[in-house]
Amino acid sequence: MTDLDKAADATAREFLSGIYRTVKEFDVTLARNAILDCLFCAEEPNFIRDVGDHPLYAADARRVIGQMAPHMVDLAGRTLSGWPAAA
């Protein structure tokens, strides 16, 4: 996991902990990868689109990413500000 991945993970955890009482690791993974996709750094290009269409994960992805959508620019900025290379 790169420093940017760690920063996205921390941002995702912080955001989700403000919404859900118990944060699931799968939700953190979805949120982290969505943030990275917005920064064009996701391992899978077009992660948000692809996971939203996936037969097994679409419902969870739409729930998590739907909560994040209005805040995505802020979440991407917070991720970059927590990334050591950005300092």
Side-chain angles (χ1 to χ4, degrees):
M1 185 177 273
T2 67
D3 287 339
L4 184 58
D5 292 340
K6 290 176 187 174
D9 190 87
T11 301
R13 284 179 194 283
E14 180 183 345
F15 178 78
L16 293 174
S17 68
I19 295 174
Y20 302 113
R21 186 201 296 276
T22 303
V23 177
K24 300 176 194 173
E25 285 301 312
F26 185 70
D27 290 354
V28 173
T29 299
L30 289 170
R32 179 188 64 235
N33 289 338
I35 292 169
L36 292 172
D37 192 22
C38 288
L39 296 171
F40 302 103
C41 296
E43 287 185 27
E44 179 182 333
N46 300 311
F47 173 81
I48 294 171
R49 184 196 64 206
D50 292 346
V51 77
D53 292 338
H54 195 281
L56 294 176
Y57 308 125
D60 288 322
R62 290 180 182 155
R63 174 180 50 81
V64 172
I65 297 169
Q67 290 285 333
M68 297 173 66
H71 311 281
M72 195 59 79
V73 171
D74 179 55
L75 293 170
R78 286 170 34 198
T79 296
L80 289 175
S81 69
W83 183 35

